[in-house]
Each structure stands twice: as C-alpha cells, then as structure tokens.
Amino acid sequence: ELKQVVPQCKAIINPALGGRKWKTMANSAVGNELVSMRACMAEFAAMTLFVVIGCGSAMGIDGTRDGADTSSLPGWVLMVALAFGLSITVLAYATGHHSGGHINCAVTLGLVLAGECSIAQGLTNFLAKMLGSVAGAAILCLMYPKAMDHTGGLGSNGLADGWTWHNALVGEMVGTCLLMYVVLQTACHPKSTGNRAQAALAIGLAVFMA
C-alpha cells in the first residue's frame, strides 16, 4: 500500500534535478525509515542560507524614500525580490536531490496534500525549516549591528500606511498559489519531463514574481 503513494515523479530519472529529487523523497516513504534525516538537514541548511541571503539583502540597504512618502524605492524592491528568487533557484538546485528542495513551508504542505511527500517527512521538513529560519536570523544578528539594520526587524515584512491585514493576506494567498502551481507543474507533473532540469529556475522566477 505504501508503494501506491510514491510520487509519479519517482519514475522520472533526471540527474540534473527532478528524478533524483523525487526518488529520494519516495525512498524515504517506502524504505526502512519513515523519515530521511538527510532531507531534514538539507532543508535546515537551505532555509538558513535563504534567510541570510534574502533578509540580509533587505537589511543592508535603506529602501525608504525621503519625506512623507512611505513607499519603498523601486530599485530596492527589485533588488530584494531578485535576491529571494535567485537564492531559491540556487538552493533548490543544491538541495533538490537530497530533500526535494522545498525551502518553504507552504510548498511542503502543498506537496503533502498532493501526495508528493509523506506526512511524516513533511512534518520533519517543517521542523527543520523552522529551526533553519531561527539559525538564519541568529546569523544576521551576528552580522548586522542593530543600527545597521535598515529594516528595523531583520528584514521581516510589515504593513505600510494605507494597507490592512486582509490586503496582505490576499496578496500572500495569490503569491503562494503561483508558487505552488509552478512547483507542481514543473517539478512533479509527468508531462514536464522534457524541461525538468529547469524546474528550479522556474520556481525561483515564481518567487521573484510573488
């Protein structure tokens, strides 16, 4: 019965990313161990680096305007978006063959619901990413003196004047939907075998767009 939940991607052997990526996750579900610690360590390392690179890029440069305008400078927004998107691309290529390169709790949840990742592996990946985010934040605290953090909160998101929580919630939902759609269609769907090696690039671009 366990073999029935093995992702379809197991049959797609692409050494660049996809085949080894999903074969590893499948092996953790049908092998002797229910959870792959290698996958957990890969997710921990990837999330740590993701926080350092992405949030660190936001912290290092002042993106605010002069005067009463509270919006961020377009160049700063573009730079931070590229840092997050490119870091996801690089880290997905680097860790995909170990853990699947989720690097996002929403992606892990989506893959569990889609049957592409076991519940046990999904829970441990979630824990590994939470620990990785804390480790990344700790590294940023060591890297940046408080006065040099131009975001005032380790690059964390916040609501500017004129925006409400439900505006942000809808935006997050749309962005997450885009990301999950790209992940499922490029890294999991059996008909995407031909461009499987570019899956991480497409996912990184989705993060950039979101």
Side-chain angles (χ1 to χ4, degrees), residues 62-142:
D62 187 0
T64 58
R65 300 175 186 265
D66 296 329
D69 192 346
T70 60
S71 63
S72 299
L73 293 171
W76 181 85
V77 174
L78 178 62
M79 181 270 295
V80 173
L82 280 172
F84 276 97
L86 291 176
S87 61
I88 281 290
T89 298
V90 171
L91 293 170
Y93 275 123
T95 63
H97 53 290
H98 294 301
S99 67
H102 301 182
I103 325 173
N104 186 303
C105 294
V107 170
T108 298
L109 175 61
L111 291 174
V112 170
L113 295 177
E116 302 289 350
C117 177
S118 69
I119 295 177
Q121 188 67 59
L123 289 173
T124 51
N125 281 0
F126 172 81
L127 178 60
K129 283 190 279 285
M130 290 295 99
L131 294 175
S133 63
V134 173
I139 293 173
L140 288 175
C141 288
L142 295 175

Side-chain angles (χ1 to χ4, degrees), residues 2 9 26 47 55 57 81 86 100-101 141 151 155 161-163 169 172 180-181 184-185 198:
L2 285 176
C9 304
M47 180 56 78
C55 295
S57 68
L86 291 176
C141 288
T151 65
D161 294 339
W163 300 90
L169 177 62
E172 288 289 339
M180 199 64 235
Y181 179 71
L184 291 175
Q185 295 302 316
Q198 286 77 46

